[in-house]
Amino acid sequence: MSDHHSRRDPASGRARKRAIREYATQAGVAYSVAARHLDSVGLRPGETLAAYGRTIYPIGSDPHRQLLVERRERRSFEERVSDARRAAALPHGRARHLAERFPPSRGRVGSGVGRLYHGNGREELLAMLYIVIGTGSPGLVPEVGDLAWIAEMGEDTALDTACADVDREARRLLEQEPLALWSSIQEALTIAERSGDGQVRQEAIRQTALLSAMMTPRLGYAGEPYVEGLPIVGARQILDALLIVADDGHTPGTRVRLRAQPNDARSATIIGARWGSAGPPVGYLVWLDGATAPLSARPDDLIVLAGQETLPR
């Protein structure tokens, strides 16, 4: 019996020390502080609080998405520059870039989570959001020449930095009720259609036609039109992942468990993030395995499960 423990205890001790070192590095705290924190919250080896670290492409149950992400990481420099040039072209070029950069996925079987980053027209909706910003808050939109120069570096994150304000504003717009969002888009497109810039005018006309095709108006309460067809959830998740690239956090699809239920065998899946005016997510929307509705949680209340390896961004 003593021989058995003498063989196992050192290995267990090494695993714990490794977990503490990793957590201390991720949290930016001293080893002793990390050790106390690990013990107090009941973290297991390989786990971390959702308030720390970053998961961009969680490896889950969708091998096709993993293949797309890995293939994208192997692009040549010429391909990277070509893609960056497109990502620098607001509104539609960047919208298409983001839709391809964060392809559709699906939740783990049995989790109750369906499709992620999904929805027909999510690319078009993202482009419409940039048009809304361009007409209502033009000061947030970077200069075309600056973006074109940055694109020649072939680095997505360099463009992300330049577009940080406009991207965060696009995510904020998606917090509106569907009817309010629809009205904002229609108003912006009407303004853009009268632009003196021919390219802007033509893009607005094209997006107006697309918006009409996406919508299915019907009468709702008190005769108000109700909007179907806007892929709001999928567009939110794309922008969540984009903002997390720069500001840390954990993207939709990341597997977690709740600190409040340490003995609960069920885990959960992050399906969305809540944002402040700056910085990483201030909260998450999660779907507990077997649940019938999502719930909100603070980053400190969630533990990212071990094995959430992050693919290259």
Side-chain angles (χ1 to χ4, degrees), residues 54 56-57 72 83-84 87-88 94 97-98 101-102 130 140 142 147 150-151 153-168 238-239 241-247 313:
R54 177 171 58 186
I56 305 300
Y57 296 108
R72 188 173 187 279
D83 189 47
R94 184 156 186 79
H97 163 84
L98 295 179
R101 184 172 168 187
F102 303 103
Y130 289 129
L140 296 179
L147 293 180
I150 295 172
M153 299 168 59
E155 295 290 340
D156 294 336
T157 52
L159 282 170
D160 294 344
T161 300
C163 294
D165 291 339
V166 71
D167 290 334
R168 189 173 285 263
I238 288 172
L239 289 172
L242 172 66
L243 296 180
I244 283 169
V245 170
D247 289 312
R313 61 185 180 186

Side-chain angles (χ1 to χ4, degrees), residues 18-279:
R18 182 169 59 251
I20 293 172
R21 286 195 300 270
E22 292 175 354
Y23 184 68
T25 300
Q26 292 173 341
V29 298
Y31 180 91
S32 59
V33 175
R36 288 196 298 271
H37 208 168
L38 278 170
D39 292 339
S40 67
V41 301
L43 291 180
R44 303 161 187 163
E47 294 182 339
T48 184
L49 284 174
Y52 306 104
R54 177 171 58 186
T55 310
I56 305 300
Y57 296 108
I59 296 179
S61 58
D62 193 339
H64 177 65
R65 188 184 200 240
Q66 290 177 212
L67 178 64
L68 293 176
V69 173
E70 291 169 351
R71 183 180 298 164
R72 188 173 187 279
E73 183 63 19
R74 294 193 296 269
R75 292 171 300 164
S76 67
F77 177 73
E78 290 75 15
E79 291 171 327
R80 289 174 183 269
V81 171
S82 177
D83 189 47
R85 288 170 178 164
R86 181 176 58 180
L90 289 162
H92 192 260
R94 184 156 186 79
R96 176 174 293 183
H97 163 84
L98 295 179
E100 293 180 358
R101 184 172 168 187
F102 303 103
S105 183
R106 61 179 181 270
R108 189 173 302 230
V109 175
S111 67
V113 176
R115 295 173 173 177
L116 299 165
Y117 306 92
H118 199 271
N120 292 330
R122 61 195 184 282
E123 176 184 320
E124 289 76 12
L125 176 55
L126 290 169
M128 293 173 194
L129 295 175
Y130 289 129
I131 290 176
V132 172
I133 298 168
T135 58
S137 304
L140 296 179
V141 182
E143 294 292 334
V144 173
D146 292 342
L147 293 180
W149 181 82
I150 295 172
E152 297 308 306
M153 299 168 59
E155 295 290 340
D156 294 336
T157 52
L159 282 170
D160 294 344
T161 300
C163 294
D165 291 339
V166 71
D167 290 334
R168 189 173 285 263
E169 178 63 11
R171 179 61 181 84
R172 189 194 67 79
L173 289 173
L174 289 176
E175 290 302 310
Q176 298 181 79
E177 291 297 322
L179 182 58
L181 178 60
W182 184 29
S183 298
S184 297
I185 292 173
Q186 285 188 315
E187 181 180 354
L189 290 175
T190 299
I191 294 173
E193 285 178 356
R194 299 195 296 265
S195 171
D197 187 321
Q199 186 173 352
V200 172
R201 188 168 59 252
Q202 289 301 315
E203 179 66 15
I205 292 172
R206 190 177 76 87
Q207 293 295 343
T208 298
L210 289 171
L211 178 64
S212 177
M214 290 166 62
M215 310 305 260
T216 307
R218 70 184 185 195
L219 292 182
Y221 294 108
E224 292 294 331
Y226 177 79
V227 181
E228 292 181 346
L230 288 177
I232 294 175
V233 174
R236 279 181 187 154
Q237 292 171 340
I238 288 172
L239 289 172
D240 284 342
L242 172 66
L243 296 180
I244 283 169
V245 170
D247 289 312
D248 284 350
H250 305 279
T251 57
T254 302
R255 297 283 289 168
V256 297
R257 63 182 175 89
L258 300 180
R259 278 183 59 188
Q261 302 177 18
N263 298 318
D264 194 331
R266 292 179 302 166
S267 298
T269 304
I270 291 176
I271 61 172
R274 291 188 294 110
W275 298 92
S277 58

Side-chain angles (χ1 to χ4, degrees), residues 280-292:
V282 298
Y284 292 99
L285 193 65
V286 302
W287 194 283
L288 197 65
D289 290 357
T292 57

